[in-house]
Amino acid sequence: MKPGTQVSFPVRDYDLAATLGSGQAFRWRQVDHAWEGILSGHHFRLRQTPTDISAELLGACRPHPAPDLLRHFLQLDADLPHILATFPDDEPMRAAVAACRGLRLLRQEPWECLVSFICSSTKQIVQIQQIIVLLCERFGEPIPVGGDASFAFPTAARLAACSEAELRTCKMGFRAPYILTAAKAVTSGKLDLSRLHNLSTAEARSALMNLHGVGRKIADCVLLFAYGKQDAFPVDVWVRRALTELYFPRRRPSEKRLEHFANTHFGPNAGYAQQYLFHYVRTHSRSRRGEEAEL
DNA sequence: GTCCAGGGATTCA
DNA sequence: TGAATCCATGGA
């Protein structure tokens, strides 16, 4: 696949906008009716038609993309109806699925995913995107795309060579030392990200949580979005809000009760269900609150 | 349990 | 339009 070439994938039950815009990945932006982003040093433009997702390669800083790069990243072969059938049959889940059926979990590169979510702590999605733009512009390999350049995600070795002050110029604040220690752990071999594929969810989570700045929530995001461990269930501000409002509308549950509920209610693909709830409350809560305010 | 660590987007008044 | 709040948190 050379720059300028185009491929097309027939798809069913796929919502590209919900998938790329639901806060799992931070390097995809909507341009007119297409989505542009960088994956493994390749700058793609994706479009959804009623029957297909088409992909155009706009530029690359590496010779050839892996043959199944997009198929794997976009999880085109995932059996979505089967996954949705494992969700609990209750009103909140039905509403969430009805609102964004076709939303898929991506399969991202572990290093990029780990760095992105270390940057995510107490940041809004727009700000996380801004941090990552700066990080890539300053430390990523340039990708020639037409007149201007885009940038690959910086390698662990490149970030390990940065000073904390250099990282702070990317507006990541107190997260800079966390990124630096993660980069050094990966570069030194102390943390082998490729090895986590073969570990159980609990073991892989524990390995990630050994990193300074990575707690349960960030570890679960990486397990879910990079390793496809669909029993991982990240609970952030929005998911906590969703669980409380949708499942415990009368009385606020204790933290322990909520945790137990999250770990037991959603079945083998709990992480997938979590993503539907996350996207659902984020895209619907404002209007719903507006309605409540009018009552 | 409490406090603190960027900083800008978003909401509020 | 200036102020207040919030944010895919985790560590001390």
Side-chain angles (χ1 to χ4, degrees):
Chain A
M1 197 172 180
K2 295 175 182 173
T5 58
Q6 218 163 333
V7 290
S8 201
F9 306 97
V11 291
R12 286 173 54 197
D13 259 336
Y14 206 113
D15 185 336
L16 188 65
T19 300
L20 295 176
S22 63
Q24 347 173 25
F26 303 100
R27 297 205 71 198
W28 293 84
R29 62 190 188 102
Q30 196 160 19
V31 182
D32 301 325
H33 296 292
W35 286 84
E36 284 192 30
I38 292 119
L39 180 59
S40 191
H42 301 271
H43 187 125
F44 288 105
R45 178 185 288 150
L46 306 179
R47 289 177 204 278
Q48 178 151 36
T49 71
T51 57
D52 295 80
I53 290 174
S54 69
E56 185 184 354
L57 182 62
L58 301 183
C61 63
R62 296 178 194 177
H64 302 291
D68 286 329
L69 181 63
L70 279 170
R71 178 172 290 281
H72 184 66
F73 173 71
L74 294 170
Q75 285 291 288
L76 297 174
D77 296 326
D79 186 348
L80 191 64
H82 175 76
I83 291 165
L84 297 181
T86 69
F87 288 2
D89 184 21
D90 57 39
E91 190 49 45
M93 274 319 309
R94 280 195 292 270
V97 171
C100 48
R101 189 189 174 91
L103 167 63
R104 309 235 176 170
L105 290 181
L106 297 165
R107 191 67 61 86
Q108 302 179 50
E109 294 186 345
W111 170 243
E112 176 173 339
C113 191
L114 174 61
V115 172
S116 300
F117 280 96
I118 290 176
C119 291
S120 77
S121 68
T122 57
K123 281 285 184 190
Q124 298 175 116
I125 288 174
V126 182
Q127 294 176 286
I128 302 164
Q129 291 167 334
Q130 291 167 351
I131 292 169
I132 291 171
V133 164
L134 291 171
L135 204 56
C136 293
E137 281 178 1
R138 296 192 182 163
F139 308 115
E141 189 177 346
I143 302 172
V145 177
D148 44 27
S150 59
F151 297 86
F153 195 85
T155 62
R158 179 66 189 91
L159 294 187
C162 288
S163 66
E164 185 183 317
E166 283 181 296
L167 291 176
R168 280 179 184 265
T169 65
C170 300
K171 302 187 176 180
M172 63 177 70
F174 62 85
R175 304 156 193 85
Y178 299 157
I179 298 294
L180 201 51
T181 54
K184 286 176 177 170
V186 168
T187 306
S188 70
K190 184 179 162 196
L191 174 63
D192 182 357
L193 290 175
S194 65
R195 191 179 62 94
L196 302 192
H197 287 286
N198 308 320
L199 300 182
S200 70
T201 301
E203 290 167 331
R205 177 185 291 129
S206 168
L208 290 169
M209 287 177 65
N210 278 333
L211 291 169
H212 210 60
V214 178
R216 168 80 185 228
K217 192 269 169 183
I218 290 174
D220 277 10
C221 284
V222 178
L223 294 173
L224 190 59
F225 303 140
Y227 292 95
K229 298 198 182 291
Q230 294 179 13
D231 51 334
F233 194 96
V235 179
D236 74 319
V237 168
W238 289 98
V239 172
R240 181 172 288 107
R241 191 174 292 158
L243 295 178
T244 305
E245 288 183 3
L246 298 173
Y247 290 97
F248 301 90
R250 294 177 175 277
R251 202 160 64 90
R252 209 166 73 86
S254 71
E255 203 54 34
K256 197 165 184 124
R257 175 84 186 89
L258 202 63
E259 186 186 334
H260 177 74
F261 182 77
N263 291 331
T264 54
H265 183 69
F266 294 97
N269 299 299
Y272 234 104
Q274 173 274 159
Q275 195 61 19
Y276 273 83
L277 290 172
F278 177 81
H279 191 58
Y280 176 58
V281 291
R282 278 181 47 82
T283 50
H284 287 74
S285 64
R286 195 178 304 170
S287 55
R288 206 176 64 245
R289 283 188 190 141
E291 286 164 23
E292 278 172 6
E294 287 168 19
L295 293 175

